Every structure is written in C-alpha cells, then in structure tokens.
C-alpha cells in the first residue's frame, strides 16, 4: 500500500543545535501532519500543513518548531534550537483529502537530544 | 477537553481466540470519527477500522469489529480468530471534528501479545 517514508530513522543531536526531520509523504497526498510520541506515552498531534501553510497547530508546536515543503520535496520539521524535552519519536503522516479519508503514517524518527 | 483513554496496558491471549480491547473518549462535538490503529514491532502504524459517530451499526472489517456504545462514550475493538501476527500495540484515536480528520487524539495504547 501507500507508504510514508521518514529519514533518518534515528538522530542524535546536541542540545541547542538545529535538527531537520524529513518526510516523504504519499505521492499524491495534499495534507501533511507531524505527531510526537514520548517514550511510553501516546502520540500527540503537533501540526498539519496544506498548500504551503500551517492549517492548525497544537500547544506542543513550540516557537522553535517550523514546517515546510519546498517545491513538493520533503515535508520537513525543523527544531531550532533543540531542547532535552524534544527527545521523542516524531511521526509524519499524510492524507489525500481533509475528511473521509485514511491517514497514512511513517515509521517515525527517533530524536535524541543530549 | 477532548481525551481518549485506554486503560488496558497489555493483554495476552492464546492464538485463535477472541480478544476485546477497551477505549473510552471524551468530546463535546456532536459529530466525530473513531479509529483503531496498530503499531507493529517494526514501528509501522497501520489503520484498521473506523466508526462514524452518527452511524448506529458497528463497523466490521475482516476479523476486526467494533463495539460502539455512544451513551457510554466507548469504542471497543474486537479481534476474532487471533493470529500470531496480530501481536502489536493497538491505539484508539478520535478525530473530534469532521473538518480535519488528520488531527487525531490518541489513547495510550494496549500491547497485545498472541501466544501459540
């Protein structure tokens, strides 16, 4: 079936540095999402993105976070600067339309901030 | 506040039996969607089944079915004839409005282990 690919699967970064998480969504999908999962807890919605704009974001989407998808390439989540509490697994997801549709998830990028 | 709660941390059953996983939710929305996903050992998150809040009949897909009890804000997942490969973490989720279905509120997950 359709796949959402996330690169890399694991990234370790020093606190205060910038990190970019990459997501290759399903090719014809138009809506993109990021979720955060702290170890042992549930996935939590961060943001969704459509037509070059953030549609909605949660309180977890701090000012240090940004998303973009330049020219139909990777959908990215950038954290600058990183903090220890940003350590988590970040899941990218995409869907073709906004409602009455299946949302496809990637396998996640485990981010460790040291 | 909107919330999804799965109280069963883990369940273990013997292969070929039926298992039920519980999920309760809180929402003030009159229309919403409820979902079940599973996360495999490899990390893959797979959509299983969905219930639309306005539908009274329980959804069924393959060997997955739902027990939707709207007055109790409950959406249980039933897996019949379980197989070893059903071992995974199962997440219940809710989409609180019908305009942005990708904004999901997830439960904590239930780890299901199927024994031979």
């Amino acid at each position: 079936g359709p796949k959402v690919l996330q690169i890399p699967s694991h990234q370790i970064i020093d606190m205060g540095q910038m990190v970019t998480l990459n997501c290759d969504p399903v090719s014809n999908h138009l809506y993109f999402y990021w979720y955060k999962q702290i170890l042992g807890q549930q996935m939590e919605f961060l943001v969704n993105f459509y037509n070059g704009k953030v549609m909605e974001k949660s309180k977890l989407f701090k000012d240090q976070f940004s998303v973009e998808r330049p020219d139909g390439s990777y959908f990215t989540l950038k954290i600058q600067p990183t903090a220890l509490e940003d350590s988590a697994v970040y899941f990218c997801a995409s869907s073709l339309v906004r409602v009455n549709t299946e949302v496809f998830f990637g396998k996640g990028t485990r981010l460790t901030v040291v | 506040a909107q919330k999804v709660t799965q109280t069963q941390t883990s369940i273990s059953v013997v292969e070929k039996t039926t298992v039920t996983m519980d999920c309760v939710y809180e929402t003030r929305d009159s229309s919403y969607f409820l979902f079940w996903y599973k996360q495999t050992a490899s990390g893959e998150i797979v959509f299983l089944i969905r219930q639309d809040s306005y539908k009274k009949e329980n959804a069924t897909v393959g060997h997955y079915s739902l027990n939707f009890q709207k007055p109790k804000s409950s959406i249980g997942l039933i897996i019949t004839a379980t197989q070893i490969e059903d071992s995974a973490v199962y997440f219940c989720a809710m989409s609180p409005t019908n305009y942005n279905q990708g904004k999901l509120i997830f439960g904590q997950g239930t780890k299901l282990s199927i024994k031979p």
Side-chain angles (χ1 to χ4, degrees):
Chain A
K3 298 286 186 186
V4 175
L5 301 176
Q6 289 190 243
I7 303 164
S9 58
H10 192 181
Q11 185 147 6
I12 301 173
I13 195 156
D14 291 328
M15 181 177 63
Q17 297 299 306
M18 181 191 76
V19 68
T20 300
L21 308 183
N22 296 301
C23 170
D24 188 9
V26 178
S27 61
N28 61 338
H29 282 187
L30 302 174
Y31 293 83
F32 313 112
Y33 314 88
W34 283 102
Y35 284 80
K36 176 182 179 181
Q37 184 181 35
I38 295 173
L39 186 64
Q41 299 182 21
Q42 66 262 56
M43 281 183 285
E44 295 186 273
F45 170 81
L46 283 176
V47 65
N48 75 289
F49 189 84
Y50 167 73
N51 197 25
K53 297 177 184 177
V54 169
M55 290 183 65
E56 189 173 358
K57 58 185 179 181
S58 74
K59 60 183 179 182
L60 296 178
F61 193 78
K62 303 182 298 183
D63 292 342
Q64 298 90 326
F65 289 20
S66 62
V67 291
E68 64 176 355
R69 193 187 187 210
D71 301 324
S73 61
Y74 287 143
F75 174 50
T76 63
L77 173 65
K78 185 184 293 185
I79 308 174
Q80 181 178 25
T82 50
L84 294 176
E85 59 265 27
D86 295 331
S87 294
V89 179
Y90 290 84
F91 290 92
C92 174
S94 70
S95 64
L96 178 61
V97 294
R98 199 167 53 182
V99 295
N100 202 28
T101 183
E102 183 177 343
V103 178
F104 293 85
F105 285 84
K107 291 189 176 184
T109 293
R110 180 176 298 279
L111 176 66
T112 303
V113 181
V114 298
Chain B
Q2 286 136 347
K3 189 177 179 182
V4 175
T5 303
Q6 296 176 253
T7 56
Q8 299 158 305
T9 305
S10 63
I11 299 174
S12 181
V13 300
V14 176
E15 191 181 12
K16 299 180 185 177
T17 59
T18 295
V19 65
T20 299
M21 282 176 273
D22 301 328
C23 175
V24 293
Y25 58 91
E26 297 174 27
T27 182
R28 292 182 179 178
D29 290 287
S30 58
S31 178
Y32 47 91
F33 299 102
L34 300 161
F35 306 85
W36 279 89
Y37 287 83
K38 80 173 188 181
Q39 186 172 26
T40 65
S42 68
E44 186 179 10
I45 298 172
V46 180
F47 165 75
L48 298 177
I49 191 168
R50 164 185 140 187
Q51 179 76 39
D52 298 351
S53 63
Y54 58 87
K55 292 185 177 179
K56 291 184 178 179
E57 57 273 18
N58 291 318
T60 298
V61 176
H63 74 147
Y64 303 107
S65 61
L66 297 177
N67 179 17
F68 180 41
Q69 300 182 59
K70 195 171 182 180
K72 295 183 178 180
S73 297
S74 170
I75 184 73
L77 174 68
I78 303 166
I79 307 176
T80 57
T82 51
Q83 304 162 10
I84 299 294
E85 50 266 34
D86 290 325
S87 296
V89 178
Y90 288 78
F91 290 97
C92 176
M94 174 175 66
S95 176
T97 69
N98 63 2
Y99 87 97
N100 186 1
Q101 207 165 307
K103 182 185 176 185
L104 296 161
I105 298 171
F106 282 90
Q108 300 90 330
T110 297
K111 183 176 182 179
L112 176 64
S113 299
I114 309 295
K115 297 181 176 180

